[in-house]
């Protein structure tokens, strides 16, 4: 959501201000279809595919959040329950919404719009504002620019609806209700008057209340006396109206976050060698360290921006396990990152900027006299950051207990996060039954010559060609398959703890019960006790 | 090896599905399995309840198994579980007392049993402690020793194998404990299900109980499938190292001498010393009142016979109790009431004013009500006004006190819908998927199949779907919990809590027993049914309004009996035309199509009408033969003369339970009690499966007497149908009285009837919209809700009756209707208004409110309530239409309330209105109509379809009012708002839909196949277009659908928004997503969803 703030003094409009609003009504489906079919999916040949619907949760039901044109053609609408939709049209494909991915995509689109103007703001979940004041002539005038934006986006696989006006509010309304329009300054009143109330960016509740008294177009609202309106529907209504008309100025906030801290270096001679970049990172990090120390903070997220001579910008971002300010560590992390990022230096970079995107209080620690950091957890965190900077976020995992009776399912792996390893183990309820120290990754078949029927232990078994005589045995512990996920005929296991003549202890199981299958049950070794 | 078979074994650690969501087999299944494995005996011990023992006991009687009722005591304050089995009647009484104490202490459904209770109450029982061997040994031993000390050799130590890998150690540990505590070791298997296959169902119910998806239940799921009943040899093998433990089970069984059959019931003596004499006095006194012109000999004779029988069986106190309850309701509270069911077969009940069916006129079958042979108590059901039944119940509690009376329980069990929803949830389906799934099940239907799953949006090829369908089916009819029976009171002379444990209900002041109606019947406990009937409330209001507004027509207040006597041809003529909306019982679709065919001309025809449109006669194929004979198209035939006496009054076709029983008795050679048992076994035949035996016997006996086998089979089929749905004639007659009474009001005073029935909502088949429409079609003026004119209830206002307003189809009523009032709708008609708020509004009204603001200041109602009134267009009397009223209501706010406060004292001072005038567009009529629907589900202004008529006419859609002009068999298209969907159990999946347009209603028949194709539309659409073949027979018109379309979207055109210019970009007309419209604002949502009946 963009931050919109208003200034109550009318007439403060910068002269000649022009705003281009873009609306991406299909963004979530486009994100999915572009991944599958490539960015040319809208223009190229269309393969056969099911109508696509993106669902999200709303008040405990799944509803349609977005849908492609094929699904629309079936008569489906946003807000309709997924269950209803599927009952009506079983052929539709349904994908769960990923608002975070959509937001990232919209941000990328905003970045991409840098080519037209540096002043790009994100508007809601599916819109952009471009402040193109004084830019249009570079693209052959407003008309040509509008066409260019829409056509280029279409080439990228996006359907964008666009409008140009002198106020963000008017442009917003134009993109949604008057696609392709260019509204001249002063033409807002006329353009708005026929539009429905939704064009004023009002919440649904206010719209409904207005409609119930018959005010269903912006024109009707404009014609009504202001005081009674404000009394009944609140100040927001008039504010929105005034913003759209330009009576009240509305600023759009630039998209790129203003970094908390940033240091940059302009280079007289462009650099392109990785070594040089790394050196620059170290030197920038040292400057940054001073700033951080003054604030008692460390960084949690860093961005390295490399400005190429031709205007292209590479941005490398790092998230950190714990607040950091140590320059060599920062350099190391970017070294890993640079090694795996595809940076095309071409003509070289003319500016380099290191920004702290997020900071957090940094607790100074007494360094050991040896000068080396002996905090193990700290090391572990740094190690993890380095490995992940190089190998990706999923490279490190940690085990987690799962409440399952089946031994091989009683543990699973989750992404590593420093500091939570110990907690997890304690959380899981553990059954009181003894389990072997070592569980084989896969049960290994053993030969059993004779066992007590129906459910006794074997007298001896042969594992990896060695024969073991069973001296003592305890069991059976009967573990049936997890019927709701295993195959219907999955056999039950009878586990035995057995001890051989030399006191070594094994965990064996017989798969299947006697008499339940035509074949004799088979035996396996699944674990070793100490 | 010895050749002897396995040793004798009895199982006592058994839980059934009455341990609610902790075990996975029915009591009956457990009994059958115990019998199969040749157990010497079996006990049932559910968790802190005996709710399932009667079922097991009944089944065990049939199976010939030695059964013992017991309970598994599970303590809330630690300590091992204990199996408690009463040794004698006194022990049973103490067990019930113990559980009652625990129930009273705990929450509903969660008894709080403490160890102290056990030590206080467990005398006279054999006890088996089931120690959890993972607990500290010292504590266990201490408990065992104190149990031993307290109850001596009545205590055993129970032990079950667990298959956790250490069973050998555990068994030795238990044996050691047994030695240390001197308690004999007894083998049990801690059974949770009868067969290993049920393990997965146990996991499902565990997930339901814990309210977590199965995949997250983890270690609470069963690790294996060993908690099933095992063959004796297997039990012997498991305990081979301690064979004595097996032998102890038999010794334990031998100590148990108590059987549920010993429970005998003593009815409380009413205040008098000689109840029989008192009953006789009241009966003869009542008889004199009933027959002021002299007692007919036939009636006198019946009274004598009945009184003798009552004396012989000692039921006089029971009759006195019921009489007193009815007397209290009628005389002290003025509550309308009337007995129903089999009690209406009793002349004594008629004389006591409990029932209303006159024995002088009707042939009663007293045996249906009471017989010497049958050792079952009579069952008197009395209906009271549904809104005032609580007063009667309070009287009963006060009179008999909590330890002598309680309600019967009703077992709420899983039906198709709930089973599917809960199982789907257990498998982790999202809530809307659960809802979609269970929504695809029709009502109480028990079909849970792939069709339903598919309709609910599930992939039937999917493994999870298969699991869901399978387990939902297994879960069907499992008890979920106990709730109070609608009104069955058990009243006892001795302490009730020594018969059966008493438990709390959802209502703080009410208590119920742990057994349901069938269980109580099985053990012979007497109950009185205090039922609620909406039509009685409606009729009482009718009498009130009649007295208030038509006193000049009737010199004294009328009563039900007056109407029964006032038999009028006009009333029957009206019913013959199926003009029966709102009339008790005969207003349903099926009844309405029967009326013109049956053409009731006298009271007995109504008795038949009520009884014939029931699944019993329909499934027994009795309807058509009866109609053919009635119309004289087929001769009345009696295979044997003796049948003429039984079946003569129904033209040779058995329609009533009494007739079928008589056939069984007089031709099938059954005794009266056997015949009644046969009837009862039908009702429960799913559970017991005794039907086949009776069938063979009856058919053989009939064939032997020379009846055609086909006739005999038909008779039996009839009984089968009756089992669950049939009516006894006495019951039909009681209901027919109400049919006549309500039809009487509808015929002569449609204004009174309309107001009374609106004020008694919800009841009956139709919503207020149809009731209002029907009244208007009968020429009654219905006036809008208004803040200055309406009361909470609908009222009558003087208004001359104009016969010209009567719709042509009802023109015959022109000279019948005696109304001279208009109906003023009450504020209750507006959705979402609180009665208390509206009473304040009425109280403060004085000579009327002059403005919205005036109303607000004087009533101090919240602006949202006033907005609601404005939305309902209730300010017309002050010259404000909906829009103007809303505009004014929206201007109310708290800040201004503060400055307005001084005005509160002087409401006559009007606030100067300095606001600039705002010109609001006039709200189109169609928008008004939509908003009327939103506020009160109907509109007096117009029907929504009137606005679409031109468009519909272009599509050749026939108005419903013109269907009678269409040739039979033609394929036509109709359209309308869906009022009612009905799928009668008897109609094999056929759905009847009623749709309505501005000209009338159309009846749609949807065959199952068509339903499958259009299921979401049939179930979900508000406005439909139906194409199909017109069928017309005896003036009843149906459209048999072959195509159904959802045209709800057309209602959009009625709202202003829908009439707006399309703002969508001209270059891209169709594909542009319009800015999302919130669903709840769609005009179609204002339309009622349609009512579903099953």
């Amino acid at each position: 959501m963009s931050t919109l703030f208003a200034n109550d003094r009318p007439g403060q409009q910068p002269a000649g201000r022009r705003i281009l609003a873009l609306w991406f009504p299909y963004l979530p489906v486009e994100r999915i279809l572009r991944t599958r079919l490539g960015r040319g999916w809208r223009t190229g040949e269309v393969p056969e595919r099911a109508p696509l619907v993106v669902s999200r949760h709303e008040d405990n039901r799944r509803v349609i959040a977005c849908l492609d044109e094929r699904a629309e053609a079936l008569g489906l609408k946003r807000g309709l329950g997924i269950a209803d939709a599927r009952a009506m049209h079983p052929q539709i494909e349904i994908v769960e919404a990923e608002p975070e991915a959509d937001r990232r995509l919209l941000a990328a689109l905003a970045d991409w719009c840098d080519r037209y103007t540096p002043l790009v703001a994100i508007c809601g979940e599916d819109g952009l504002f471009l402040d193109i004041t004084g830019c249009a002539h570079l693209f052959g005038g407003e008309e040509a620019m509008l066409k260019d934006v829409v056509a280029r986006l279409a080439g990228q696989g996006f359907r964008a609806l666009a409008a140009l006006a002198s106020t963000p509010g008017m442009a917003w309304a134009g993109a949604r209700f008057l696609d392709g329009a260019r509204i001249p300054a002063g033409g807002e009143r006329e353009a708005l008057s026929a539009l429905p109330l939704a064009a004023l960016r009002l919440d649904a509740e206010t719209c409904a209340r207005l409609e119930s008294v018959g005010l269903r177009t912006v024109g009707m609202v404009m014609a009504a006396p202001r005081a009674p309106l404000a009394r009944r529907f609140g100040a927001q209504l008039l504010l929105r109206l005034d913003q759209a008309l330009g009576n009240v100025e509305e600023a759009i906030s630039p998209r790129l976050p203003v970094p908390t801290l940033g240091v940059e270096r302009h280079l007289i001679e462009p650099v392109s060698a990785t070594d040089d970049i790394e050196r620059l990172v170290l030197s920038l990090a040292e400057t940054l360290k001073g700033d951080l120390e003054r604030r008692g903070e460390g960084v949690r997220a860093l961005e390295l921006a490399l400005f190429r001579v031709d205007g292209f910008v590479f941005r490398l971002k790092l998230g950190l396990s714990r607040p950091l300010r140590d320059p060599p560590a920062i350099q190391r992390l970017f070294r890993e990152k640079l090694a795996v990022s595809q940076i095309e230096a071409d003509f070289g970079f003319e500016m380099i900027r290191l920004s702290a995107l997020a900071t957090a209080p940094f607790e100074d620690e007494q360094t050991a006299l040896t000068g080396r950091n002996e905090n193990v957890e700290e090391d572990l965190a740094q190690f993890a950051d380095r490995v992940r900077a190089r190998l990706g976020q999923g490279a490190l995992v940690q085990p987690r207990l799962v409440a399952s009776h089946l031994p091989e399912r009683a543990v699973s792996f989750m992404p590593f996060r420093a500091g939570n390893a110990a907690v997890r183990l304690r959380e899981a309820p553990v059954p009181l039954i003894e389990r072997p120290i070592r569980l084989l990754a896969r049960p290994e078949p053993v030969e059993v010559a004779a066992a007590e029927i129906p459910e006794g232990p074997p007298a001896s078994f042969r594992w990896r060609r060695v024969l073991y005589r069973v001296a003592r045995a305890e069991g059976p512990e009967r573990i049936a398959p997890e019927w709701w996920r295993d195959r219907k005929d999955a056999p039950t296991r009878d586990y035995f703890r057995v001890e051989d003549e030399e006191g070594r202890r094994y965990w064996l199981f017989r798969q299947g019960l006697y008499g339940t299958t035509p074949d004799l049950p088979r035996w396996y070794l699944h674990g070793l006790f100490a | 090896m010895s050749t002897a078979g396995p040793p004798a074994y009895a199982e006592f650690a058994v839980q059934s599905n009455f341990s609610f969501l902790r075990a996975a087999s029915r009591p009956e299944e457990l009994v059958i399995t115990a019998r199969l494995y040749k157990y010497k005996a079996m006990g049932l011990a559910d968790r802190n309840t005996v709710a399932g023992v009667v079922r097991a006991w009944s089944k065990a009687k049939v199976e010939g198994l030695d059964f013992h009722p017991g309970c598994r005591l599970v303590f809330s304050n630690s300590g091992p579980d204990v199996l408690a089995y009463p040794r004698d009647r006194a022990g049973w009484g103490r067990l019930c007392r113990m559980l009652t104490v625990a129930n009273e202490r705990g929450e509903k459904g969660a008894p709080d049993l403490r160890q102290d209770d056990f030590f206080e109450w467990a005398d006279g029982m054999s006890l088996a402690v089931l120690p959890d061997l993972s607990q500290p040994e010292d504590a266990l031993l201490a408990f065992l020793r104190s149990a031993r000390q307290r109850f001596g050799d009545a205590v055993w130590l129970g032990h079950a194998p667990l298959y956790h890998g250490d069973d050998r150690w555990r068994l030795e540990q238990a044996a050691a404990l047994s030695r240390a505590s001197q308690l004999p070791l007894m083998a049990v298997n801690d059974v949770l299900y009868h067969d290993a296959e049920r393990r997965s169902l146990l996991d499902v119910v565990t997930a339901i109980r814990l309210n977590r998806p199965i995949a997250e239940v983890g270690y609470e799921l069963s690790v294996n499938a060993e908690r099933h009943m095992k063959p004796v040899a297997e039990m012997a093998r498991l305990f081979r190292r301690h064979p004595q433990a097996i032998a102890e089970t038999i010794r334990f069984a031998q100590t148990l001498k108590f059987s549920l059959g010993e429970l005998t019931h003593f009815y409380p003596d009413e205040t008098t010393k000689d109840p029989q004499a008192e009953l006789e006095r009241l009966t003869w006194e009542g008889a004199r009142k009933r027959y002021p012109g002299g007692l007919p000999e036939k009636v006198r004779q019946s009274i004598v016979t009945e009184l003798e029988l009552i004396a012989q069986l000692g039921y006089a106190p029971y009759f006195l109790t019921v009489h007193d309850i009815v007397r209290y309701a009628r005389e002290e509270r003025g509550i309308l009431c009337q007995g129903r069911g089999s009690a209406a077969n009793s002349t004594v009940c008629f004389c006591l004013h409990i029932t209303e069916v006159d024995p002088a006129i009707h042939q009663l079958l007293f045996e249906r009500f009471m017989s010497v042979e049958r050792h079952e108590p009579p069952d008197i059901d009395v209906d009271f006004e549904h809104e005032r039944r609580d007063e009667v119940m309070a009287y009963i509690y006060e009179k008999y006190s909590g330890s002598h009376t309680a309600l019967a329980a009703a077992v709420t069990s899983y039906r198709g819908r709930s089973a599917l929803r809960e199982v789907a949830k257990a498998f982790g389906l999202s809530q809307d998927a659960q809802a979609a799934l269970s929504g695809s099940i029709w009502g109480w239907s028990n079909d849970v199949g792939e069709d339903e799953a598919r309709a609910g949006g599930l992939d039937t090829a999917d493994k999870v779907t298969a699991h869901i369908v399978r387990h939902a089916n297994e879960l069907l009819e499992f008890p979920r919990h106990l709730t109070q029976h609608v009104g069955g009171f058990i009243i006892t002379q001795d302490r009730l809590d020594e018969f059966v444990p008493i438990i709390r209900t959802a209502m703080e002041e009410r208590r119920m027993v742990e057994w349901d109606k069938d269980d109580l019947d099985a053990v012979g406990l007497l109950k009185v049914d205090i039922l609620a009937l909406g039509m009685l409330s409606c009729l009482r209001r009718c009498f009130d309004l009649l007295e208030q507004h038509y006193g000049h027509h009737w010199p004294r207040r009328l009563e039900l009996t007056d109407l029964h006597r006032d038999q009028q041809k006009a009333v029957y003529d009206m019913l013959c035309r199926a003009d029966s909306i709102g009339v008790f019982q005969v207003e349903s679709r099926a009844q309405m199509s029967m009326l013109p065919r049956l053409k009731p001309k006298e009271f007995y025809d109504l008795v038949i009408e009520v009884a014939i449109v029931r699944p019993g006669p329909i499934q027994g194929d009795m309807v058509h033969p009866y109609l053919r004979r009635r119309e004289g198209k087929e001769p009345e035939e009696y295979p044997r003369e003796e049948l003429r006496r039984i079946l003569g009054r129904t033209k040779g076709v058995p329609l009533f339970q009494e007739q079928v029983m008589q056939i069984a008795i007089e031709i099938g050679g059954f005794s009266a009690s056997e015949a009644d048992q046969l009837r009862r076994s039908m009702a429960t035949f799913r559970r017991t499966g005794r039907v086949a035996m009776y069938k063979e016997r009856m058919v053989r006996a009939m064939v032997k007497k020379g009846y055609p086998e086909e006739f005999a089979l038909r008779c039996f089929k009839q009984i089968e149908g009756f089992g669950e749905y049939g009516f006894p004639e006495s019951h039909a007659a009681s209901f027919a009285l109400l049919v006549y009474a309500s039809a009487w009001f509808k015929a002569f005073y449609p204004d009174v009837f309309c107001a009374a029935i609106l004020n008694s909502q919800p009841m009956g088949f139709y919503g207020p919209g149809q009731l209002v429409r029907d009244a208007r079609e009968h020429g009654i003026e219905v006036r809008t809700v208004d803040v200055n004119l309406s009361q909470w209830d609908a009222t009558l206002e003087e208004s001359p009756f104009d016969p010209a307003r009567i719709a042509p189809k009802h023109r015959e009523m022109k000279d019948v209707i005696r109304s001279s009032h208009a109906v003023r709708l009450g504020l209750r008609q507006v959705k979402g208004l609180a009665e208390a708020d509206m009473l304040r509004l009425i109280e403060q009204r004085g000579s009327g409110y002059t403005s919205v603001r005036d109303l607000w200041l004087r009533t101090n109602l919240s602006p949202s309530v006033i907005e609601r009134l404005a939305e309902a267009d209730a300010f017309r009397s002050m010259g404000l239409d909906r829009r103007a009223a809303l505009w004014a209501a929206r201007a109310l706010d708290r800040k201004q309330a503060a400055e307005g406060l001084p005005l509160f004292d002087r409401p006559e001072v009007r606030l100067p209105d300095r606001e600039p005038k705002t010109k609001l567009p006039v709200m189109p009529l169609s928008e008004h109509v939509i908003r009327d629907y939103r506020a009160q589900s109907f509109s007096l202004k117009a029907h929504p379809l009137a606005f679409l008529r031109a468009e519909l006419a272009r599509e050749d859609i026939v108005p419903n009012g013109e269907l009678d002009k269409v040739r039979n068999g033609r394929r036509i298209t109709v359209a309308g708002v869906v009022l009612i969907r009905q799928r009668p159990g008897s109609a094999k999946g056929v759905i009847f839909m009623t749709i309505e347009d501005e000209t009338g209603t159309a009846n749609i028949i949807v065959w199952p196949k068509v339903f499958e194709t259009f299921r979401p539309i049939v179930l979900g659409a508000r406005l439909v277009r139906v194409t199909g073949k017109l069928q017309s027979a005896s003036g009843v018109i149906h459209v048999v659908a072959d195509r159904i379309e959802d045209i709800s979207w057309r209602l959009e055109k009625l709202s202003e928004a829908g009439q707006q210019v399309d703002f969508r970009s001209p270059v891209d007309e169709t594909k542009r997503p319009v800015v999302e419209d919130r669903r709840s604002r769609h005009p179609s949502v204002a339309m009622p969803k349609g009512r579903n009946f099953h």
Side-chain angles (χ1 to χ4, degrees), chain A residues 26 72 159 176 194 209 211-214 216 231-232 403 405 429 455 474 476 478 480-481 483 485, chain B residues 163 165 199 203 218-219 221 223-224 226 237 463 883 887 890 896 915 921 1056-1057 1063 1068 1071-1072 1081:
Chain A
Y26 299 102
E72 276 180 354
R159 180 176 180 78
R176 279 151 187 85
R209 289 160 71 92
E211 283 175 14
S212 72
V213 293
R216 29 189 77 252
R231 181 172 169 193
R232 288 167 177 82
H405 291 298
E455 47 189 39
E474 193 173 24
R478 185 160 293 173
W483 56 270
R485 57 200 277 198
Chain B
Y163 280 88
R199 169 207 172 209
D203 286 346
Y219 294 122
L221 294 176
V223 57
N224 56 45
E226 291 305 315
R237 188 185 66 76
K463 202 168 74 176
R883 179 154 285 168
W887 184 253
R890 295 261 155 83
Q896 306 222 341
E915 228 185 16
E1056 279 171 289
F1063 292 104
D1068 188 18
K1071 295 184 173 178
R1072 264 295 293 289
R1081 289 170 52 213

Side-chain angles (χ1 to χ4, degrees), chain A residues 129-316:
Chain A
F129 283 127
L130 277 61
D131 187 337
I132 57 155
T133 311
C135 295
H137 69 277
L138 298 173
F139 300 89
E142 289 192 346
E143 175 89 47
M145 182 175 184
L146 208 55
K147 284 204 173 121
D148 183 68
V149 176
V150 173
R152 278 174 188 272
L153 283 167
Q156 295 282 338
F158 297 100
R159 180 176 180 78
L161 306 175
L164 246 165
S166 290
T167 65
M170 184 65 241
W172 189 95
R176 279 151 187 85
F177 295 95
L178 303 162
D179 183 25
R182 289 181 296 115
I183 296 107
E188 291 87 0
R189 187 167 282 274
E190 188 194 335
L192 280 171
S193 74
L195 298 188
L197 292 172
L200 286 182
R201 293 179 287 172
L202 299 171
D203 58 278
E205 177 66 27
T206 310
C207 280
R209 289 160 71 92
L210 282 161
E211 283 175 14
S212 72
V213 293
L215 301 175
R216 29 189 77 252
T217 64
V218 182
M220 288 165 135
V221 172
M222 287 191 294
R226 291 172 66 94
L229 284 178
R231 181 172 169 193
R232 288 167 177 82
F233 306 101
Q236 183 77 359
L237 168 66
L238 296 176
L239 175 65
R240 285 301 195 204
L241 183 63
D242 289 339
Q243 284 175 341
L245 291 173
N247 297 335
V248 167
E249 192 196 339
E250 177 183 5
I252 59 172
S253 63
R255 181 190 92 76
L256 293 179
V258 185
T260 324
L261 284 171
V263 285
E264 59 188 39
R265 176 106 16 113
H266 291 267
L267 306 164
I268 301 154
E269 193 74 8
V271 297
S272 51
T274 315
D275 285 358
D276 294 337
I277 299 172
E278 284 172 15
R279 242 183 328 99
L280 284 165
V281 169
L282 183 63
S283 117
L284 287 169
E286 273 159 0
T287 318
L288 194 63
K289 185 182 178 209
D291 294 339
L292 289 167
E293 276 170 348
R294 268 188 297 286
R295 299 165 59 147
E297 289 178 336
V299 291
R300 290 297 311 245
L302 277 168
E303 184 191 74
L304 181 68
L306 302 169
F307 294 78
R308 210 159 68 180
V309 177
D310 63 352
F312 201 91
V313 188
F314 287 98
R315 297 176 197 273
L316 305 180

